[in-house]
Every structure is written in structure tokens, then in C-alpha cells.
Short mmCIF file of all heavy atoms in Angstrom, two decimals:
data_model
loop_
_atom_site.label_atom_id
_atom_site.label_comp_id
_atom_site.label_asym_id
_atom_site.label_seq_id
_atom_site.Cartn_x
_atom_site.Cartn_y
_atom_site.Cartn_z
N MET X 1 -27.75 -107.35 -95.28
CA MET X 1 -29.20 -107.49 -95.28
C MET X 1 -29.68 -107.38 -96.70
O MET X 1 -29.27 -106.52 -97.44
CB MET X 1 -29.82 -106.40 -94.41
CG MET X 1 -31.30 -106.51 -94.38
SD MET X 1 -32.10 -105.21 -93.43
CE MET X 1 -32.22 -103.95 -94.67
N LYS X 2 -30.59 -108.24 -97.06
CA LYS X 2 -31.15 -108.18 -98.39
C LYS X 2 -32.43 -107.37 -98.37
O LYS X 2 -33.14 -107.31 -97.38
CB LYS X 2 -31.44 -109.60 -98.89
CG LYS X 2 -30.20 -110.43 -99.08
CD LYS X 2 -30.55 -111.77 -99.64
CE LYS X 2 -29.31 -112.57 -99.84
NZ LYS X 2 -29.60 -113.88 -100.36
N ARG X 3 -32.71 -106.78 -99.48
CA ARG X 3 -33.90 -105.95 -99.61
C ARG X 3 -35.16 -106.76 -99.37
O ARG X 3 -36.15 -106.26 -98.84
CB ARG X 3 -33.95 -105.30 -100.98
CG ARG X 3 -35.22 -104.51 -101.15
CD ARG X 3 -35.40 -104.00 -102.52
NE ARG X 3 -36.72 -103.39 -102.57
CZ ARG X 3 -37.14 -102.66 -103.52
NH1 ARG X 3 -36.37 -102.41 -104.54
NH2 ARG X 3 -38.34 -102.15 -103.49
N ASP X 4 -35.19 -108.02 -99.77
CA ASP X 4 -36.41 -108.82 -99.68
C ASP X 4 -36.87 -109.09 -98.25
O ASP X 4 -37.98 -109.56 -98.04
CB ASP X 4 -36.28 -110.13 -100.45
CG ASP X 4 -35.14 -111.01 -99.95
OD1 ASP X 4 -34.29 -110.51 -99.19
OD2 ASP X 4 -35.11 -112.17 -100.36
N ILE X 5 -36.06 -108.71 -97.25
CA ILE X 5 -36.46 -108.84 -95.87
C ILE X 5 -37.51 -107.79 -95.52
O ILE X 5 -38.37 -108.01 -94.69
CB ILE X 5 -35.24 -108.70 -94.92
CG1 ILE X 5 -34.32 -109.90 -95.13
CG2 ILE X 5 -35.65 -108.59 -93.49
CD1 ILE X 5 -33.02 -109.79 -94.40
N LEU X 6 -37.48 -106.65 -96.22
CA LEU X 6 -38.36 -105.53 -95.95
C LEU X 6 -39.46 -105.45 -96.99
O LEU X 6 -39.24 -105.75 -98.16
CB LEU X 6 -37.58 -104.21 -95.98
CG LEU X 6 -36.47 -104.06 -94.95
CD1 LEU X 6 -35.66 -102.82 -95.28
CD2 LEU X 6 -37.06 -103.97 -93.57
N ASN X 7 -40.64 -104.99 -96.56
CA ASN X 7 -41.65 -104.71 -97.57
C ASN X 7 -41.29 -103.42 -98.29
O ASN X 7 -40.37 -102.69 -97.88
CB ASN X 7 -43.05 -104.68 -96.94
CG ASN X 7 -43.26 -103.51 -96.00
OD1 ASN X 7 -42.83 -102.39 -96.26
ND2 ASN X 7 -43.91 -103.78 -94.89
N GLU X 8 -41.98 -103.11 -99.34
CA GLU X 8 -41.60 -101.97 -100.18
C GLU X 8 -41.66 -100.65 -99.43
O GLU X 8 -40.73 -99.81 -99.56
CB GLU X 8 -42.53 -101.89 -101.40
CG GLU X 8 -42.10 -100.87 -102.41
CD GLU X 8 -42.90 -100.93 -103.69
OE1 GLU X 8 -43.49 -101.96 -104.00
OE2 GLU X 8 -42.95 -99.89 -104.38
N ASP X 9 -42.66 -100.43 -98.61
CA ASP X 9 -42.76 -99.18 -97.84
C ASP X 9 -41.63 -99.04 -96.85
O ASP X 9 -41.04 -97.96 -96.70
CB ASP X 9 -44.10 -99.09 -97.11
CG ASP X 9 -45.28 -98.88 -98.06
OD1 ASP X 9 -45.06 -98.38 -99.18
OD2 ASP X 9 -46.41 -99.22 -97.67
N ASP X 10 -41.28 -100.13 -96.16
CA ASP X 10 -40.19 -100.08 -95.20
C ASP X 10 -38.86 -99.85 -95.90
O ASP X 10 -38.02 -99.09 -95.43
CB ASP X 10 -40.12 -101.37 -94.38
CG ASP X 10 -41.20 -101.45 -93.32
OD1 ASP X 10 -41.89 -100.43 -93.09
OD2 ASP X 10 -41.37 -102.53 -92.73
N TYR X 11 -38.67 -100.49 -97.05
CA TYR X 11 -37.44 -100.29 -97.81
C TYR X 11 -37.31 -98.83 -98.24
O TYR X 11 -36.23 -98.24 -98.13
CB TYR X 11 -37.40 -101.21 -99.03
CG TYR X 11 -36.11 -101.10 -99.80
CD1 TYR X 11 -34.94 -101.70 -99.35
CD2 TYR X 11 -36.07 -100.37 -100.99
CE1 TYR X 11 -33.76 -101.59 -100.05
CE2 TYR X 11 -34.87 -100.24 -101.70
CZ TYR X 11 -33.73 -100.86 -101.22
OH TYR X 11 -32.57 -100.73 -101.93
N ASP X 12 -38.40 -98.24 -98.70
CA ASP X 12 -38.40 -96.83 -99.09
C ASP X 12 -38.02 -95.94 -97.90
O ASP X 12 -37.26 -94.98 -98.04
CB ASP X 12 -39.75 -96.40 -99.66
CG ASP X 12 -40.04 -97.00 -101.02
OD1 ASP X 12 -39.11 -97.53 -101.67
OD2 ASP X 12 -41.21 -96.94 -101.45
N GLU X 13 -38.56 -96.26 -96.73
CA GLU X 13 -38.25 -95.47 -95.53
C GLU X 13 -36.79 -95.63 -95.13
O GLU X 13 -36.13 -94.66 -94.77
CB GLU X 13 -39.17 -95.88 -94.37
CG GLU X 13 -38.92 -95.14 -93.09
CD GLU X 13 -39.20 -93.64 -93.16
OE1 GLU X 13 -39.83 -93.16 -94.11
OE2 GLU X 13 -38.77 -92.92 -92.23
N VAL X 14 -36.26 -96.84 -95.20
CA VAL X 14 -34.85 -97.08 -94.90
C VAL X 14 -33.97 -96.28 -95.85
O VAL X 14 -33.00 -95.65 -95.43
CB VAL X 14 -34.53 -98.60 -94.94
CG1 VAL X 14 -33.04 -98.84 -94.94
CG2 VAL X 14 -35.18 -99.30 -93.76
N CYS X 15 -34.31 -96.26 -97.14
CA CYS X 15 -33.54 -95.49 -98.11
C CYS X 15 -33.61 -94.00 -97.81
O CYS X 15 -32.61 -93.29 -97.95
CB CYS X 15 -34.03 -95.77 -99.53
SG CYS X 15 -33.61 -97.42 -100.10
N ARG X 16 -34.76 -93.53 -97.36
CA ARG X 16 -34.90 -92.12 -96.99
C ARG X 16 -34.00 -91.80 -95.80
O ARG X 16 -33.31 -90.77 -95.79
CB ARG X 16 -36.35 -91.78 -96.65
CG ARG X 16 -36.57 -90.29 -96.40
CD ARG X 16 -37.90 -90.01 -95.73
NE ARG X 16 -38.00 -90.59 -94.40
CZ ARG X 16 -37.39 -90.09 -93.31
NH1 ARG X 16 -36.63 -89.03 -93.38
NH2 ARG X 16 -37.54 -90.66 -92.13
N VAL X 17 -33.98 -92.67 -94.81
CA VAL X 17 -33.13 -92.47 -93.63
C VAL X 17 -31.66 -92.42 -94.02
O VAL X 17 -30.91 -91.55 -93.57
CB VAL X 17 -33.39 -93.60 -92.59
CG1 VAL X 17 -32.33 -93.61 -91.50
CG2 VAL X 17 -34.79 -93.47 -92.00
N ILE X 18 -31.25 -93.33 -94.89
CA ILE X 18 -29.85 -93.35 -95.35
C ILE X 18 -29.55 -92.07 -96.14
O ILE X 18 -28.50 -91.46 -95.93
CB ILE X 18 -29.57 -94.60 -96.20
CG1 ILE X 18 -29.67 -95.85 -95.32
CG2 ILE X 18 -28.21 -94.51 -96.87
CD1 ILE X 18 -29.70 -97.16 -96.09
N GLY X 19 -30.46 -91.66 -96.99
CA GLY X 19 -30.26 -90.42 -97.76
C GLY X 19 -30.15 -89.22 -96.86
O GLY X 19 -29.31 -88.35 -97.08
N ASP X 20 -30.97 -89.15 -95.83
CA ASP X 20 -30.89 -88.05 -94.86
C ASP X 20 -29.53 -88.03 -94.18
O ASP X 20 -28.94 -86.98 -93.96
CB ASP X 20 -32.00 -88.15 -93.81
CG ASP X 20 -33.37 -87.80 -94.34
OD1 ASP X 20 -33.48 -87.28 -95.48
OD2 ASP X 20 -34.36 -88.05 -93.62
N ALA X 21 -29.02 -89.22 -93.83
CA ALA X 21 -27.72 -89.31 -93.18
C ALA X 21 -26.62 -88.80 -94.11
O ALA X 21 -25.71 -88.07 -93.68
CB ALA X 21 -27.43 -90.75 -92.76
N VAL X 22 -26.69 -89.16 -95.37
CA VAL X 22 -25.71 -88.70 -96.35
C VAL X 22 -25.73 -87.18 -96.47
O VAL X 22 -24.69 -86.52 -96.48
CB VAL X 22 -25.93 -89.38 -97.72
CG1 VAL X 22 -25.07 -88.73 -98.81
CG2 VAL X 22 -25.64 -90.87 -97.64
N ILE X 23 -26.92 -86.61 -96.51
CA ILE X 23 -27.05 -85.16 -96.61
C ILE X 23 -26.47 -84.48 -95.39
O ILE X 23 -25.72 -83.50 -95.51
CB ILE X 23 -28.53 -84.77 -96.83
CG1 ILE X 23 -28.98 -85.20 -98.22
CG2 ILE X 23 -28.74 -83.26 -96.63
CD1 ILE X 23 -30.47 -85.11 -98.45
N VAL X 24 -26.78 -84.98 -94.20
CA VAL X 24 -26.25 -84.40 -92.96
C VAL X 24 -24.72 -84.45 -92.95
O VAL X 24 -24.06 -83.46 -92.64
CB VAL X 24 -26.82 -85.12 -91.71
CG1 VAL X 24 -26.06 -84.77 -90.46
CG2 VAL X 24 -28.30 -84.79 -91.55
N LEU X 25 -24.17 -85.59 -93.30
CA LEU X 25 -22.70 -85.73 -93.33
C LEU X 25 -22.09 -84.78 -94.36
O LEU X 25 -21.12 -84.09 -94.08
CB LEU X 25 -22.30 -87.17 -93.65
CG LEU X 25 -22.52 -88.18 -92.53
CD1 LEU X 25 -22.33 -89.59 -93.07
CD2 LEU X 25 -21.60 -87.91 -91.37
N SER X 26 -22.66 -84.74 -95.54
CA SER X 26 -22.14 -83.91 -96.62
C SER X 26 -22.19 -82.42 -96.25
O SER X 26 -21.22 -81.69 -96.45
CB SER X 26 -22.92 -84.17 -97.90
OG SER X 26 -22.46 -83.37 -98.93
N GLU X 27 -23.32 -81.98 -95.72
CA GLU X 27 -23.47 -80.57 -95.34
C GLU X 27 -22.52 -80.19 -94.21
O GLU X 27 -22.18 -79.02 -94.08
CB GLU X 27 -24.90 -80.28 -94.96
CG GLU X 27 -25.84 -80.25 -96.15
CD GLU X 27 -27.28 -79.96 -95.77
OE1 GLU X 27 -27.63 -80.06 -94.56
OE2 GLU X 27 -28.08 -79.64 -96.67
N SER X 28 -22.11 -81.16 -93.42
CA SER X 28 -21.20 -80.90 -92.31
C SER X 28 -19.73 -81.04 -92.72
O SER X 28 -18.84 -80.92 -91.90
CB SER X 28 -21.48 -81.87 -91.15
OG SER X 28 -22.79 -81.70 -90.69
N GLY X 29 -19.50 -81.35 -94.00
CA GLY X 29 -18.15 -81.47 -94.51
C GLY X 29 -17.48 -82.80 -94.20
O GLY X 29 -16.27 -82.92 -94.29
N HIS X 30 -18.27 -83.80 -93.84
CA HIS X 30 -17.73 -85.13 -93.51
C HIS X 30 -17.78 -86.03 -94.73
O HIS X 30 -18.52 -85.80 -95.67
CB HIS X 30 -18.52 -85.77 -92.37
CG HIS X 30 -18.42 -85.03 -91.09
ND1 HIS X 30 -17.32 -85.14 -90.25
CD2 HIS X 30 -19.26 -84.17 -90.48
CE1 HIS X 30 -17.51 -84.37 -89.19
NE2 HIS X 30 -18.68 -83.76 -89.32
N GLU X 31 -16.99 -87.09 -94.65
CA GLU X 31 -17.01 -88.12 -95.68
C GLU X 31 -18.36 -88.81 -95.69
O GLU X 31 -19.05 -88.85 -94.66
CB GLU X 31 -15.93 -89.17 -95.40
CG GLU X 31 -14.52 -88.64 -95.50
CD GLU X 31 -14.08 -88.45 -96.92
OE1 GLU X 31 -14.54 -89.20 -97.80
OE2 GLU X 31 -13.27 -87.54 -97.16
N THR X 32 -18.74 -89.35 -96.84
CA THR X 32 -20.02 -90.07 -96.93
C THR X 32 -19.78 -91.54 -97.25
O THR X 32 -20.57 -92.17 -97.94
CB THR X 32 -20.94 -89.42 -97.99
OG1 THR X 32 -20.27 -89.37 -99.25
CG2 THR X 32 -21.35 -88.04 -97.57
N ARG X 33 -18.68 -92.07 -96.73
CA ARG X 33 -18.40 -93.49 -96.90
C ARG X 33 -19.36 -94.30 -96.03
O ARG X 33 -19.95 -93.80 -95.08
CB ARG X 33 -16.98 -93.79 -96.50
CG ARG X 33 -15.94 -93.15 -97.39
CD ARG X 33 -14.57 -93.44 -96.87
NE ARG X 33 -14.58 -93.17 -95.43
CZ ARG X 33 -13.52 -92.87 -94.73
NH1 ARG X 33 -12.36 -92.84 -95.28
NH2 ARG X 33 -13.61 -92.62 -93.44
N ARG X 34 -19.49 -95.55 -96.36
CA ARG X 34 -20.41 -96.45 -95.64
C ARG X 34 -20.13 -96.44 -94.15
O ARG X 34 -21.08 -96.43 -93.34
CB ARG X 34 -20.30 -97.86 -96.17
CG ARG X 34 -20.80 -98.03 -97.59
CD ARG X 34 -20.59 -99.43 -98.04
NE ARG X 34 -21.76 -100.20 -97.70
CZ ARG X 34 -22.48 -100.87 -98.56
NH1 ARG X 34 -22.13 -100.89 -99.82
NH2 ARG X 34 -23.54 -101.53 -98.18
N GLU X 35 -18.86 -96.45 -93.77
CA GLU X 35 -18.51 -96.49 -92.34
C GLU X 35 -19.02 -95.25 -91.63
O GLU X 35 -19.52 -95.33 -90.50
CB GLU X 35 -17.00 -96.59 -92.15
CG GLU X 35 -16.36 -97.83 -92.76
CD GLU X 35 -15.97 -97.63 -94.22
OE1 GLU X 35 -15.90 -96.47 -94.70
OE2 GLU X 35 -15.73 -98.64 -94.89
N GLU X 36 -18.88 -94.10 -92.27
CA GLU X 36 -19.33 -92.83 -91.68
C GLU X 36 -20.85 -92.80 -91.56
O GLU X 36 -21.39 -92.35 -90.56
CB GLU X 36 -18.84 -91.65 -92.51
CG GLU X 36 -17.35 -91.51 -92.57
CD GLU X 36 -16.73 -91.23 -91.23
OE1 GLU X 36 -17.35 -90.51 -90.41
OE2 GLU X 36 -15.62 -91.72 -90.96
N ILE X 37 -21.51 -93.27 -92.60
CA ILE X 37 -22.98 -93.30 -92.57
C ILE X 37 -23.46 -94.23 -91.46
O ILE X 37 -24.35 -93.86 -90.68
CB ILE X 37 -23.55 -93.76 -93.94
CG1 ILE X 37 -23.16 -92.76 -95.03
CG2 ILE X 37 -25.06 -93.92 -93.86
CD1 ILE X 37 -23.37 -93.28 -96.44
N ALA X 38 -22.85 -95.38 -91.35
CA ALA X 38 -23.24 -96.35 -90.30
C ALA X 38 -23.01 -95.76 -88.92
O ALA X 38 -23.86 -95.91 -88.03
CB ALA X 38 -22.47 -97.66 -90.47
N ARG X 39 -21.89 -95.07 -88.72
CA ARG X 39 -21.61 -94.47 -87.40
C ARG X 39 -22.66 -93.41 -87.06
O ARG X 39 -23.13 -93.33 -85.92
CB ARG X 39 -20.22 -93.87 -87.38
CG ARG X 39 -19.15 -94.87 -87.05
CD ARG X 39 -17.85 -94.19 -86.68
NE ARG X 39 -17.16 -93.66 -87.84
CZ ARG X 39 -16.23 -94.31 -88.52
NH1 ARG X 39 -15.89 -95.52 -88.16
NH2 ARG X 39 -15.65 -93.76 -89.55
N LEU X 40 -23.00 -92.58 -88.04
CA LEU X 40 -24.02 -91.55 -87.79
C LEU X 40 -25.36 -92.19 -87.44
O LEU X 40 -26.03 -91.78 -86.50
CB LEU X 40 -24.17 -90.63 -89.01
CG LEU X 40 -25.29 -89.59 -88.90
CD1 LEU X 40 -25.06 -88.65 -87.72
CD2 LEU X 40 -25.42 -88.82 -90.20
N LEU X 41 -25.73 -93.22 -88.17
CA LEU X 41 -27.00 -93.90 -87.90
C LEU X 41 -26.98 -94.57 -86.52
O LEU X 41 -27.98 -94.55 -85.79
CB LEU X 41 -27.30 -94.93 -88.99
CG LEU X 41 -27.60 -94.35 -90.37
CD1 LEU X 41 -27.66 -95.47 -91.40
CD2 LEU X 41 -28.90 -93.55 -90.37
N GLN X 42 -25.83 -95.13 -86.13
CA GLN X 42 -25.72 -95.75 -84.81
C GLN X 42 -25.83 -94.71 -83.71
O GLN X 42 -26.50 -94.94 -82.68
CB GLN X 42 -24.40 -96.51 -84.69
CG GLN X 42 -24.38 -97.76 -85.50
CD GLN X 42 -23.00 -98.38 -85.64
OE1 GLN X 42 -22.00 -97.70 -85.51
NE2 GLN X 42 -22.97 -99.66 -85.95
N ARG X 43 -25.19 -93.55 -83.90
CA ARG X 43 -25.31 -92.46 -82.90
C ARG X 43 -26.76 -92.00 -82.81
O ARG X 43 -27.27 -91.76 -81.72
CB ARG X 43 -24.40 -91.30 -83.28
CG ARG X 43 -22.96 -91.49 -82.95
CD ARG X 43 -22.15 -90.21 -83.03
NE ARG X 43 -22.33 -89.46 -84.25
CZ ARG X 43 -21.59 -89.57 -85.35
NH1 ARG X 43 -20.61 -90.45 -85.39
NH2 ARG X 43 -21.83 -88.82 -86.39
N THR X 44 -27.39 -91.88 -83.96
CA THR X 44 -28.79 -91.42 -83.97
C THR X 44 -29.67 -92.43 -83.25
O THR X 44 -30.53 -92.05 -82.45
CB THR X 44 -29.26 -91.25 -85.43
OG1 THR X 44 -28.42 -90.28 -86.06
CG2 THR X 44 -30.71 -90.76 -85.46
N ARG X 45 -29.46 -93.71 -83.52
CA ARG X 45 -30.24 -94.77 -82.84
C ARG X 45 -30.03 -94.69 -81.34
O ARG X 45 -30.98 -94.78 -80.56
CB ARG X 45 -29.88 -96.13 -83.37
CG ARG X 45 -30.75 -97.24 -82.76
CD ARG X 45 -30.33 -98.58 -83.22
NE ARG X 45 -28.97 -98.82 -82.74
CZ ARG X 45 -28.24 -99.83 -83.08
NH1 ARG X 45 -28.67 -100.72 -83.94
NH2 ARG X 45 -27.02 -99.96 -82.59
N HIS X 46 -28.79 -94.50 -80.92
CA HIS X 46 -28.49 -94.39 -79.49
C HIS X 46 -29.15 -93.15 -78.88
O HIS X 46 -29.74 -93.23 -77.81
CB HIS X 46 -26.98 -94.36 -79.29
CG HIS X 46 -26.59 -94.15 -77.86
ND1 HIS X 46 -26.74 -95.13 -76.91
CD2 HIS X 46 -26.08 -93.07 -77.21
CE1 HIS X 46 -26.34 -94.67 -75.73
NE2 HIS X 46 -25.93 -93.42 -75.90
N ASP X 47 -29.05 -92.01 -79.57
CA ASP X 47 -29.62 -90.77 -79.06
C ASP X 47 -31.14 -90.79 -79.02
O ASP X 47 -31.75 -90.07 -78.24
CB ASP X 47 -29.17 -89.57 -79.91
CG ASP X 47 -27.69 -89.30 -79.78
OD1 ASP X 47 -27.06 -89.81 -78.84
OD2 ASP X 47 -27.16 -88.55 -80.65
N ARG X 48 -31.75 -91.60 -79.85
CA ARG X 48 -33.20 -91.66 -79.92
C ARG X 48 -33.75 -92.97 -79.38
O ARG X 48 -34.80 -93.45 -79.79
CB ARG X 48 -33.65 -91.50 -81.38
CG ARG X 48 -33.30 -90.15 -81.95
CD ARG X 48 -33.80 -90.03 -83.34
NE ARG X 48 -33.46 -88.73 -83.91
CZ ARG X 48 -33.76 -88.34 -85.10
NH1 ARG X 48 -34.44 -89.15 -85.90
NH2 ARG X 48 -33.43 -87.14 -85.55
N ALA X 49 -33.05 -93.54 -78.43
CA ALA X 49 -33.44 -94.84 -77.87
C ALA X 49 -34.84 -94.82 -77.27
O ALA X 49 -35.49 -95.85 -77.18
CB ALA X 49 -32.42 -95.27 -76.82
N HIS X 50 -35.31 -93.65 -76.90
CA HIS X 50 -36.62 -93.53 -76.27
C HIS X 50 -37.75 -93.33 -77.30
O HIS X 50 -38.93 -93.31 -76.95
CB HIS X 50 -36.62 -92.36 -75.29
CG HIS X 50 -36.32 -91.05 -75.95
ND1 HIS X 50 -35.02 -90.67 -76.27
CD2 HIS X 50 -37.14 -90.06 -76.40
CE1 HIS X 50 -35.07 -89.49 -76.88
NE2 HIS X 50 -36.32 -89.10 -76.96
N ASP X 51 -37.41 -93.18 -78.56
CA ASP X 51 -38.41 -92.93 -79.60
C ASP X 51 -39.22 -94.17 -79.92
O ASP X 51 -38.94 -95.26 -79.43
CB ASP X 51 -37.74 -92.39 -80.87
CG ASP X 51 -37.30 -90.95 -80.70
OD1 ASP X 51 -37.58 -90.35 -79.65
OD2 ASP X 51 -36.67 -90.43 -81.63
N GLU X 52 -40.14 -94.02 -80.84
CA GLU X 52 -41.03 -95.12 -81.24
C GLU X 52 -40.25 -96.32 -81.74
O GLU X 52 -39.20 -96.19 -82.34
CB GLU X 52 -41.96 -94.65 -82.37
CG GLU X 52 -42.98 -93.64 -81.95
CD GLU X 52 -43.87 -93.26 -83.12
OE1 GLU X 52 -44.02 -94.08 -84.05
OE2 GLU X 52 -44.43 -92.17 -83.08
N ARG X 53 -40.80 -97.48 -81.50
CA ARG X 53 -40.16 -98.73 -81.92
C ARG X 53 -40.00 -98.80 -83.44
O ARG X 53 -38.99 -99.30 -83.93
CB ARG X 53 -40.99 -99.92 -81.40
CG ARG X 53 -40.43 -101.25 -81.79
CD ARG X 53 -39.08 -101.50 -81.13
NE ARG X 53 -38.48 -102.67 -81.75
CZ ARG X 53 -37.21 -102.79 -82.02
NH1 ARG X 53 -36.36 -101.85 -81.68
NH2 ARG X 53 -36.72 -103.86 -82.58
N ASP X 54 -40.96 -98.28 -84.21
CA ASP X 54 -40.85 -98.32 -85.67
C ASP X 54 -39.65 -97.50 -86.14
O ASP X 54 -38.94 -97.91 -87.07
CB ASP X 54 -42.12 -97.78 -86.33
CG ASP X 54 -43.25 -98.78 -86.30
OD1 ASP X 54 -42.99 -99.97 -86.09
OD2 ASP X 54 -44.41 -98.35 -86.50
N GLU X 55 -39.42 -96.35 -85.52
CA GLU X 55 -38.27 -95.54 -85.89
C GLU X 55 -36.98 -96.28 -85.58
O GLU X 55 -36.04 -96.28 -86.38
CB GLU X 55 -38.29 -94.19 -85.16
CG GLU X 55 -37.17 -93.29 -85.59
CD GLU X 55 -37.24 -91.92 -84.96
OE1 GLU X 55 -38.35 -91.44 -84.64
OE2 GLU X 55 -36.18 -91.30 -84.79
N GLN X 56 -36.92 -96.90 -84.42
CA GLN X 56 -35.73 -97.68 -84.05
C GLN X 56 -35.50 -98.83 -85.04
O GLN X 56 -34.38 -99.08 -85.45
CB GLN X 56 -35.90 -98.25 -82.63
CG GLN X 56 -35.82 -97.21 -81.56
CD GLN X 56 -34.43 -96.61 -81.48
OE1 GLN X 56 -33.45 -97.34 -81.49
NE2 GLN X 56 -34.37 -95.30 -81.43
N ARG X 57 -36.58 -99.47 -85.43
CA ARG X 57 -36.47 -100.60 -86.38
C ARG X 57 -35.95 -100.12 -87.72
O ARG X 57 -35.09 -100.77 -88.33
CB ARG X 57 -37.85 -101.24 -86.54
CG ARG X 57 -37.83 -102.54 -87.31
CD ARG X 57 -39.17 -103.25 -87.24
NE ARG X 57 -40.28 -102.45 -87.73
CZ ARG X 57 -40.66 -102.38 -89.01
NH1 ARG X 57 -40.01 -103.06 -89.93
NH2 ARG X 57 -41.68 -101.64 -89.35
N MET X 58 -36.40 -98.97 -88.19
CA MET X 58 -35.93 -98.43 -89.47
C MET X 58 -34.45 -98.07 -89.38
O MET X 58 -33.68 -98.35 -90.31
CB MET X 58 -36.72 -97.19 -89.89
CG MET X 58 -38.16 -97.46 -90.30
SD MET X 58 -38.28 -98.59 -91.69
CE MET X 58 -39.09 -99.98 -90.90
N LEU X 59 -34.04 -97.49 -88.26
CA LEU X 59 -32.62 -97.18 -88.08
C LEU X 59 -31.78 -98.45 -88.05
O LEU X 59 -30.71 -98.50 -88.66
CB LEU X 59 -32.41 -96.38 -86.78
CG LEU X 59 -32.83 -94.91 -86.85
CD1 LEU X 59 -32.90 -94.31 -85.45
CD2 LEU X 59 -31.89 -94.12 -87.73
N GLU X 60 -32.27 -99.49 -87.38
CA GLU X 60 -31.53 -100.75 -87.34
C GLU X 60 -31.38 -101.36 -88.72
O GLU X 60 -30.31 -101.84 -89.09
CB GLU X 60 -32.23 -101.72 -86.38
CG GLU X 60 -32.12 -101.33 -84.94
CD GLU X 60 -33.07 -102.08 -84.02
OE1 GLU X 60 -33.71 -103.05 -84.48
OE2 GLU X 60 -33.17 -101.69 -82.85
N HIS X 61 -32.45 -101.33 -89.51
CA HIS X 61 -32.39 -101.86 -90.87
C HIS X 61 -31.43 -101.02 -91.72
O HIS X 61 -30.67 -101.57 -92.51
CB HIS X 61 -33.77 -101.88 -91.52
CG HIS X 61 -34.64 -102.99 -91.04
ND1 HIS X 61 -34.29 -104.33 -91.12
CD2 HIS X 61 -35.88 -102.97 -90.48
CE1 HIS X 61 -35.26 -105.07 -90.63
NE2 HIS X 61 -36.23 -104.28 -90.23
N ALA X 62 -31.47 -99.70 -91.56
CA ALA X 62 -30.59 -98.84 -92.33
C ALA X 62 -29.13 -99.12 -91.99
O ALA X 62 -28.28 -99.19 -92.89
CB ALA X 62 -30.92 -97.35 -92.04
N ILE X 63 -28.84 -99.32 -90.72
CA ILE X 63 -27.47 -99.63 -90.30
C ILE X 63 -27.02 -100.94 -90.94
O ILE X 63 -25.91 -101.04 -91.47
CB ILE X 63 -27.37 -99.69 -88.76
CG1 ILE X 63 -27.57 -98.28 -88.18
CG2 ILE X 63 -26.03 -100.29 -88.33
CD1 ILE X 63 -27.85 -98.27 -86.69
N ARG X 64 -27.87 -101.95 -90.91
CA ARG X 64 -27.51 -103.22 -91.51
C ARG X 64 -27.29 -103.12 -93.02
O ARG X 64 -26.43 -103.76 -93.58
CB ARG X 64 -28.61 -104.27 -91.24
CG ARG X 64 -28.58 -104.79 -89.84
CD ARG X 64 -29.53 -105.97 -89.68
NE ARG X 64 -29.96 -106.01 -88.31
CZ ARG X 64 -31.19 -105.77 -87.88
NH1 ARG X 64 -32.13 -105.46 -88.72
NH2 ARG X 64 -31.48 -105.81 -86.61
N LEU X 65 -28.09 -102.27 -93.66
CA LEU X 65 -27.99 -102.13 -95.10
C LEU X 65 -26.71 -101.42 -95.53
O LEU X 65 -26.10 -101.81 -96.54
CB LEU X 65 -29.21 -101.36 -95.63
CG LEU X 65 -29.42 -101.33 -97.13
CD1 LEU X 65 -29.66 -102.74 -97.65
CD2 LEU X 65 -30.63 -100.46 -97.46
N VAL X 66 -26.25 -100.44 -94.77
CA VAL X 66 -25.05 -99.72 -95.18
C VAL X 66 -23.76 -100.25 -94.56
O VAL X 66 -22.68 -99.91 -95.03
CB VAL X 66 -25.13 -98.19 -94.85
CG1 VAL X 66 -26.30 -97.57 -95.56
CG2 VAL X 66 -25.16 -97.92 -93.39
N ARG X 67 -23.87 -101.06 -93.55
CA ARG X 67 -22.67 -101.59 -92.90
C ARG X 67 -21.81 -102.29 -93.92
O ARG X 67 -22.30 -103.13 -94.68
CB ARG X 67 -23.05 -102.56 -91.79
CG ARG X 67 -21.87 -102.93 -90.91
CD ARG X 67 -22.27 -103.75 -89.75
NE ARG X 67 -23.00 -102.94 -88.79
CZ ARG X 67 -23.96 -103.39 -88.00
NH1 ARG X 67 -24.32 -104.64 -88.07
NH2 ARG X 67 -24.57 -102.61 -87.17
N PRO X 68 -20.53 -101.93 -93.97
CA PRO X 68 -19.62 -102.54 -94.98
C PRO X 68 -19.41 -104.03 -94.76
O PRO X 68 -19.66 -104.56 -93.73
CB PRO X 68 -18.30 -101.77 -94.79
CG PRO X 68 -18.42 -101.01 -93.53
CD PRO X 68 -19.85 -100.99 -93.11
#
């Protein structure tokens, strides 16, 4: 996914989501490779399937951005 698909605010939010995932993985002693980040984001998206559509959209964009 290219950055130009998202507006600046959405891109900033996607980067924040990815950063949060890295922190969670790191604090838990896990690797912070792209594959691990993508898996965590996918689990989060699945666990929060009932949440707001905007949150789901940001998670989907974050997954696409970090997917190897």
C-alpha cells in the first residue's frame, strides 16, 4: 500500500497504530519483525470486529502497510 492512498491524518493514525503494536510486542519480549506486527494487528482486528468502522479501517490499512 502506498502512503498516497491515505490522507495525512489517516496516515498519522496508521503509523500510531503500528507504533503501538511494536511497543506491545517489544514489552512482551516478542520479535518486532513485520510478520509479527502484521499478526498482532490481524488478531486485534479480529478481536475488535464489533468496534467502529473507522478503527477497523485503520487496522486494515496498518496491516497492508506492514505486510511483507
